[in-house]
Amino acid sequence: MLNKFLASRLAYIFGFFASFGLVALALVIQTQYKLEPCPLCISQRILFMGLGVLFLIAAIHHSQKPAWVKLYALLQTLTAIGGAGVAIRHWWLQVHKDEMLVDCGVGFDYMFDNFPLKKALTLVFRGTGDCATIDWTFLGLSIPQLALIAFLSIAGYALLLAKKRI
């Protein structure tokens, strides 16, 4: 039954809902606890939404040709690994908060409205004091740690889908 599910269009739709469900969960946590997302949090949300879109495109296209299946798996896995990289950077900032001089720099919107793209991206990934703050945990894990687990799980899921389809 699991093999049948993994070979169906529903498997990609599940990936879409899982990705956007994580963004929805982040929004619930944000509003429930009145938290402001830092630039790296926003970047992770964008990557989760990108993953969701990739899963949705794969579901709509629903090709069984190995080339397409491999392409979708590659794009989904690379996006998830990129998200894992952002989560690791975010986690690193939290762990090393006391060792560096970080401040609560400008907001995400301000960066992209007032700086060239390259400079804005540099500022986003440098992180801010907001990025180093741990405002919420679940089972002792901070948000970037949970995001890292989610990104790696989604990457594994994308590879599993490809393996079952080829």
Side-chain angles (χ1 to χ4, degrees), residues 36-45 90 108 128-133:
E36 278 301 313
C38 72
L40 292 177
C41 290
I42 293 170
S43 300
Q44 290 169 73
R45 291 178 190 183
H90 193 174
F108 194 79
T128 66
D130 293 339
C131 294
T133 303

Side-chain angles (χ1 to χ4, degrees), residues 16 19-20 22-24 26-27 30 37-55 75-76 78-80 82-84 86-87 90 108-109 111-112 117 120-121 124-125 147 151 154:
F16 166 78
S19 298
F20 274 92
L22 289 165
V23 175
L27 291 171
Q30 176 185 335
C38 72
L40 292 177
C41 290
I42 293 170
S43 300
Q44 290 169 73
R45 291 178 190 183
I46 291 168
L47 286 162
F48 278 123
M49 289 186 282
L51 276 167
V53 168
L54 288 171
F55 277 108
L75 293 173
Q76 292 159 352
L78 288 176
T79 303
V86 174
H90 193 174
F108 194 79
D109 292 335
M111 284 186 233
F112 282 95
L117 182 61
L121 289 174
V124 165
F125 290 106
F151 279 121
I154 291 173

Side-chain angles (χ1 to χ4, degrees), residues 37-162:
C38 72
L40 292 177
C41 290
I42 293 170
S43 300
Q44 290 169 73
R45 291 178 190 183
I46 291 168
L47 286 162
F48 278 123
M49 289 186 282
L51 276 167
V53 168
L54 288 171
F55 277 108
L56 182 62
I57 291 169
I60 291 168
H61 185 219
H62 193 58
S63 177
Q64 297 297 331
K65 293 182 181 177
W68 283 108
V69 171
K70 288 178 185 177
L71 177 64
Y72 289 132
L74 177 68
L75 293 173
Q76 292 159 352
T77 303
L78 288 176
T79 303
I81 289 171
V86 174
I88 289 169
R89 173 67 176 153
H90 193 174
W91 182 16
W92 186 88
L93 288 170
Q94 290 179 341
V95 169
H96 294 90
K97 180 180 182 174
D98 297 334
E99 300 170 19
M100 58 186 176
L101 297 172
V102 292
D103 58 3
C104 296
V106 298
F108 194 79
D109 292 335
Y110 181 85
M111 284 186 233
F112 282 95
D113 288 343
N114 295 292
F115 294 109
L117 182 61
K118 184 178 179 183
K119 175 72 173 172
L121 289 174
T122 301
L123 291 171
V124 165
F125 290 106
R126 186 177 331 140
T128 66
D130 293 339
C131 294
T133 303
I134 300 174
D135 292 322
W136 186 86
T137 61
F138 179 72
L139 299 176
L141 299 172
S142 67
I143 292 173
Q145 292 169 323
L146 294 167
L148 175 61
I149 292 167
F151 279 121
L152 294 177
S153 298
I154 291 173
Y157 181 70
L159 292 172
L160 179 65
L161 285 179

Side-chain angles (χ1 to χ4, degrees), residues 1-12 14 157 160-161 163-165:
M1 185 159 150
L2 180 62
N3 286 336
K4 188 175 181 180
F5 170 75
L6 292 174
S8 73
R9 184 182 307 241
L10 288 176
Y12 284 126
F14 176 78
Y157 181 70
L160 179 65
L161 285 179
K163 181 181 178 195
K164 293 296 181 181
R165 291 169 180 269

